[in-house]
């Protein structure tokens, strides 16, 4: 028996997505750039998917750029916008001072490392905003950090590790008042929160976080914004992202987007109840356990807990042996024993950061699974306690 509580890492493909993809993995194999009938069939799939996603987000089809996922979307949004707005439209070579960017210390590496690249290799100055102990961005610091040469602000809508939701409406207002572009990593929020992309100028999405296929995503880019491509080749995606489109992936992503939004409110309530029930059980079994992240501004499916005294890797392995899949931070960090940069940015003591486990629930999570996962934790806690007593004796 496997209990999958790692939906923030990835989600299973929904039936709607699989069905939408199958024709393009079988008989409808044309290249969307070909002018013949097979190509036109594939082009229609891309066009339909773009129309569907744009309608779901209340945007225009031309504002959706298909990519290979959120990492690419964040890179395109950040590098593409920063470079096109830097002096002369070129990276650092054009000018000693290409400009200023604001982001926050608790971003996913897809943003963090792209902004660090602009800072370390392309001469941009970066202000890294602090987050509070609850994981919230400091809005006063944001407003105070904006300068005449600020080109771009990037703040994630919801954090992948803690589920903490940022006040995007306020952030957007501050940026708009000062005429600064805003990108948001919306990856974890789509399908879990009501998203208003009109608040941002650019937003990054990944299909596999909302029951679509892996390796497919999109960047929302508000019309009229010039962006420099970050890869070079064909004229695909209106000259903004070259390369033959992932036709099946894009078709699956659109179907998944429609499916996940169809009953998002009910699912949010259901998962929140299960998540809160899980926490109640954990707190009873392990009174020392600490919840991380603002409980009032948090994704309904996410629970980040520090089990003080047991390091994350040991706990993850013990959970895995009991059949429970969880995570110790962002999935990209698996295998690494470094404490989460997100929790450290929140000012958590090292022992709390090093003992944190992220549980994330999803569509297939049941009350029975939550009860069984809590039982597994009880067994682990008992074994750990016995081992400690044995060691002391
Ligand atoms: N941003 C956030 C918040 C994420 O959770 C992830 C994936 O974990 C990404 C970006 C990167 O997504 P992908 O690995 O699909 O490119």
């Amino acid at each position: 028996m496997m209990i999958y509580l790692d939906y923030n890492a990835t989600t299973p493909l929904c039936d709607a997505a699989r069905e939408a993809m199958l024709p393009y993995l079988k008989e409808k194999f044309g290249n969307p750039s070909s002018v013949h009938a097979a190509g036109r069939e594939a082009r229609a799939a891309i066009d339909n998917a773009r129309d569907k996603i744009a309608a779901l987000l209340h945007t225009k089809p031309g504002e959706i750029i298909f990519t290979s996922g959120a990492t690419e979307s964040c890179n395109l949004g950040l590098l593409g916008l920063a470079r096109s707005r830097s002096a002369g439209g070129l990276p650092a070579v054009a000018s000693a001072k290409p400009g200023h960017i604001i982001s926050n210390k608790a971003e996913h590496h897809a943003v963090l490392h792209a902004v660090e690249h602009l800072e370390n290799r392309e001469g941009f100055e970066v202000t890294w905003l602090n987050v509070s102990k609850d994981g919230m961005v400091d809005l006063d610091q944001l407003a105070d950090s904006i300068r005449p040469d600020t080109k771009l602000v990037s703040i994630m809508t919801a954090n992948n590790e803690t589920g903490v939701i940022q006040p995007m409406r306020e952030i957007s207002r501050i940026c708009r008042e000062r005429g600064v572009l805003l990108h948001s990593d919306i990856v974890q929020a789509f399908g879990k929160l009501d998203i208003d992309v009109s608040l941002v100028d650019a937003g990054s999405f990944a299909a596999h976080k909302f029951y679509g296929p892996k390796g497919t995503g999109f960047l929302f880019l508000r019309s009229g914004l010039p962006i420099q491509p970050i890869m070079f080749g064909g004229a695909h995606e209106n000259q903004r992202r070259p390369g033959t489109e992932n036709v099946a992936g894009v078709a699956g992503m659109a179907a998944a987007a429609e499916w996940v939004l169809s009953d998002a409110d009910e699912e949010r309530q259901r998962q929140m109840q299960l998540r809160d029930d899980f926490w109640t059980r954990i707190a009873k079994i392990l009174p020392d356990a600490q919840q991380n992240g603002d409980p009032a501004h948090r994704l309904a499916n996410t629970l980040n807990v520090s089990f003080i005294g047991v390091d994350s890797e040991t706990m993850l392995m013990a959970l895995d042996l009991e059949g429970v899949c969880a995570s110790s931070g962002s999935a990209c960090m698996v295998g690494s024993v470094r404490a989460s940069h997100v929790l450290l940015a929140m000012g958590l003591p090292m022992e709390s950061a090093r003992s944190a486990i992220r549980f994330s629930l999803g569509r297939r999570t049941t009350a029975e699974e939550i009860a069984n996962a809590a039982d597994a934790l009880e067994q682990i806690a008992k074994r750990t306690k016995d081992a400690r007593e044995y060691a002391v004796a």
Side-chain angles (χ1 to χ4, degrees), residues 184-204:
S184 186
D185 172 347
I186 308 182
V187 171
Q188 291 292 345
F190 186 76
K192 299 175 190 156
L193 287 182
D194 292 333
I195 300 301
D196 180 359
V197 289
S198 74
L199 296 176
V200 299
D201 300 292
S204 295

Side-chain angles (χ1 to χ4, degrees), residues 8-9 68-72 74 108 110 156 158-160 185 187-188 206 208-209 215 330-332 358:
N8 286 9
S68 65
T71 301
E72 188 189 330
C74 292
H108 186 275
M156 71 201 312
N159 188 277
N160 46 302
D185 172 347
V187 171
Q188 291 292 345
H208 74 110
K209 307 288 185 178
S330 74
C332 332
R358 175 189 72 187

